[in-house]
Structures are given as C-alpha cells and as structure tokens.
C-alpha cells in the first residue's frame, strides 16, 4: 500500500512539473492587446445647398464626431472646400442657410447653435435654450434670423444676430419634441411627435394656434415630419420612419387641399421655372395623377417615393437627388 501511495505521489509530481515547465517564465508575457475599434459609424444627416467660401455654391453637411464638423463640399467634384470644428456638439440634424449668407447648424449633445459667415468662419452661439439639449430642425427667416425646434422641452426659439435669442416657449404641454420647422410670410410652422400636431406661430406676436388634423387621419402613433412651405402651401408628412402621406395645407384658404401618398424625403423644392408641376398624390390603382399649377405655384417634392411605373415611364422622377436641388432644377416635363 505504501508503494502504491509513493507511485501516485511520484506521478502527480511529474504532472505538476510538466505544467510548470510549460508555463511562461515571465508572467508579464500574458497581456491583453487592444486591437482598436473594428468599425466606426459617422452620421451625415443635416445638409443644405448654399453659398460657401468665396461665394461658390457648395453642399454643406454636418458629420458626427468628437467634435462634430461642418463640411463644405464641391457638388460637381466631391472635393472638400472647407471643414470647421463644432466644439461641444456630437452631430447635427439641422442645417440651414439664411438670406444674408449665413449657414446655421443646430446640434445635439448639448443643444448648441453655430453660425458660419464667409470671411468670419464659424461662431459658437452657445445654447439658445438652457433646458434643451437637442435642436432637431432650423428654418430660415428674414435676413439673418433662424428659427429652431428642440427637445426635451418641445420648445421653439428664434435667433437674430441683432437681438439675440427669443424663446417662444413650449408649444404644447403634451409634446416634448418640436421635430420639424418651416417659415414663410411672418408665420412659423412647427410639427411635433405623436400624437402628431402642427402649429402656426406668428413670428412677431408669438401667438400660436394648432392646425386641424386632415380628415380621416388618426394622429396617434404618428409624427409631423418634413414640415415645409412652398408657393403658399404647407406640406406635412404624417407618419414615422417609413413612407407616409404628405398632406398639403392651402395657407390662404385655411384648409387641407391635397395629399401625396407614400412620400418620404427631406424638403419641398422652391418653385422654379423648370419644375412644371407638383405631384398631388391623387393615387389610383394604376397611376399617380399629376395636377398642373400656375407658374407661381410650381414646386416639386425631393426624394418622394416614385410613382407607379405607368406614371413614370419614359422620364426621371422629379427632384430625386440633392444635386437636382442644388441646381434648382427638376427633371421630367409633362
């Protein structure tokens, strides 16, 4: 029995010795190596076509990062024309150019507003509203004035370099987002999250009223996206991330006058001589109906969903790309 125990002990000793020999002589050789970040994602959401450095037309875009950047790109070649840091910002959904030549960026992360001027570079205007950390949308007013919508307080503000910031307050006690903003003829238009609501605000007095919901539309679960004004009409897309109906409000008549089915995009283009019609979206089972408007009311929808093949055969869908918007031209004459 003693011999068996001695044999077992010797065997165990040999095994332990083998493991000891196999182990690294230097324990510090065992380490974790940092291989870096395998994949990075840069968002480029907010953008506008406007004059850039030297007055040359460029594509302005805000790229996410730490910090975010405001970039100017040549639309013909893709070459970078300028790049500016946006310190304190994580990115931007909200870029707009004003009639005086300024380009504004409303950002997220800290809810800061930035202004670019040719020859003056970028200016950090700080947080227009101390309670808000996300500027979702900005719209050009008169001169150098910009209007913006925010969260989490669902507020609307204006910034004028001559007078500073004006807080229009919270538009609705039941909404936390002013998601989309437009301006025309002294009125500000603002869309909210679900249940979708659209407000018209007098830019001078601040008086606000909520527009009625289009007939037959249930606002529950829908947001008021893509709020735009062109040629006397207000455009609002009700829905979510997927294509949805783009309703048209006749401002002078004070009523919903039309709808474009299955729209999903960025902006309604300004009226131009080369855009001979707007898509009214009076959809049937075979085609989308076109409705001609007088020249002063012409405009077209950027990045709207294409009509049916029967309607689009033999031509390109109007305002399909940002380059079409850059040249203020839409293809596809009737």
């Amino acid at each position: 029995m003693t011999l068996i125990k001695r044999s077992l002990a010797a065997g165990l000793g040999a095994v332990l010795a083998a493991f000891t020999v196999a182990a690294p002589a230097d324990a510090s050789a065992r380490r974790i190596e940092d291989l870096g970040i395998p994949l990075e994602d840069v968002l480029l959401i907010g953008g506008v076509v406007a004059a850039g450095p030297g007055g040359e037309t460029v594509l302005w875009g805000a790229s996410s990062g730490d910090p975010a950047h405001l970039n100017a790109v040549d639309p013909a070649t893709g070459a970078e024309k300028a790049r500016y840091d946006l310190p304190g910002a994580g990115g931007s959904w909200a870029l707009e150019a004003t009639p005086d030549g300024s380009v504004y960026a409303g950002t997220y992360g800290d809810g800061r507003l930035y202004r670019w001027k040719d020859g003056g570079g970028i200016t950090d205007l700080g947080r227009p509203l101390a309670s808000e950390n996300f500027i979702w949308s900005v719209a050009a007013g008169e001169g150098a004035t910009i209007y913006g919508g925010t969260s989490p307080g669902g507020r609307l503000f204006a910034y004028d370099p001559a007078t500073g910031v004006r807080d229009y307050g919270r538009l609705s006690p039941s909404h936390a987002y002013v998601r989309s903003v437009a301006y025309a003829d002294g009125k500000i238009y603002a869309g909210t999250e679900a249940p979708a609501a659209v407000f018209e605000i007098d830019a001078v007095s601040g008086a606000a009223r909520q527009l009625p919901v289009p007939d037959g539309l249930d606002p529950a679960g829908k947001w008021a996206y893509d709020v735009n004004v062109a040629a006397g009409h207000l455009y609002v897309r009700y829905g979510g991330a997927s294509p949805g109906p783009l309703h048209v409000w006749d401002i002078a008549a004070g009523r919903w006058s039309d709808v474009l089915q299955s729209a999903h995009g960025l902006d309604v283009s300004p009226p131009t001589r080369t855009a001979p019609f707007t898509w009214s979206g009076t959809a049937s089972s075979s085609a989308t109906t076109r409705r001609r408007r007088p020249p002063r009311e012409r405009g077209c929808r950027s990045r709207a969903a294409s009509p049916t093949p029967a309607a689009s055969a033999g031509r390109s869908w109007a305002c399909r790309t940002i380059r079409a918007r850059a040249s203020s031209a839409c293809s596809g004459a009737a």
Side-chain angles (χ1 to χ4, degrees):
M1 193 66 163
T2 302
L3 181 60
I4 294 174
K5 288 181 179 180
R6 287 177 180 175
S7 299
L8 288 173
L12 288 173
V15 172
L16 290 173
F19 276 107
T20 302
V21 172
D26 184 3
S28 65
R30 294 179 177 178
R31 61 188 181 89
I32 297 174
E33 183 179 356
D34 184 356
L35 300 178
I37 300 172
L39 181 65
E40 287 190 84
D41 185 16
V42 175
L43 297 178
L44 186 67
I45 301 175
V48 67
V49 180
E56 183 181 357
T57 299
V58 298
L59 304 179
W60 287 101
S63 54
S64 63
D66 186 16
H69 295 94
L70 179 64
N71 311 287
V73 176
D74 186 310
T77 66
E80 180 182 283
K81 292 296 184 179
R83 185 170 182 263
Y84 305 93
D85 289 351
L86 301 178
S92 174
W93 287 62
L95 259 65
E96 184 61 287
T98 50
D100 76 312
S102 299
V103 174
Y104 286 91
T107 66
Y108 58 82
D110 204 21
R112 306 184 78 84
L113 183 67
Y114 301 82
R115 181 192 184 199
W116 174 87
K117 282 286 290 180
D118 194 15
I122 200 81
T123 301
D124 182 354
L125 302 173
R127 302 178 69 181
L129 304 175
S131 63
E132 308 301 278
N133 58 29
F134 207 124
I135 300 175
W136 285 99
S137 177
V138 290
E142 309 295 336
T145 301
I146 199 82
Y147 300 96
T150 70
S151 69
R155 305 181 80 87
L156 179 72
F157 72 88
Y159 172 79
D160 182 341
T163 58
V165 175
R166 176 177 178 179
D167 183 2
Y168 286 94
R170 188 168 188 170
L171 296 183
S172 164
S174 58
H175 291 96
Y177 292 76
V178 173
R179 183 61 185 80
S180 194
V181 178
Y183 170 87
D185 301 323
K187 303 292 185 183
I188 312 162
Y189 298 91
T192 73
E193 86 277 25
V198 179
F199 293 87
E200 180 187 76
I201 304 95
D202 187 281
V204 176
S205 70
R209 71 181 182 108
Q210 183 174 343
L211 300 185
V213 176
D215 290 341
L217 179 77
D218 181 4
K222 299 180 178 65
W223 292 48
Y225 283 117
D226 301 343
V227 173
N228 280 270
V229 178
H233 292 82
L234 171 69
Y235 297 81
V236 183
R237 180 173 66 87
Y238 287 90
S242 301
L246 181 76
H247 289 265
V248 184
W249 173 266
D250 187 317
I251 295 174
R255 62 182 179 85
W256 295 103
S257 60
D258 218 336
V259 61
L260 171 65
Q261 299 293 344
S262 298
H264 193 198
L266 301 174
D267 294 309
V268 173
S269 71
T272 69
R273 294 179 181 178
T274 54
F277 55 81
T278 57
W279 286 96
S280 67
T282 308
S284 66
S285 59
S286 60
T288 298
T289 302
R290 290 175 293 183
R291 177 173 299 175
R292 287 186 174 275
R293 301 192 189 278
R296 64 182 179 85
E297 295 186 359
R298 292 172 184 168
C300 58
R301 176 72 185 169
S302 293
R303 291 196 177 184
S306 297
T308 60
S312 59
R315 62 169 181 79
S316 298
W317 175 237
C319 287
R320 185 166 49 190
T321 67
I322 193 169
R323 291 189 66 181
R325 186 177 174 217
S327 62
S328 297
C330 300
S331 61

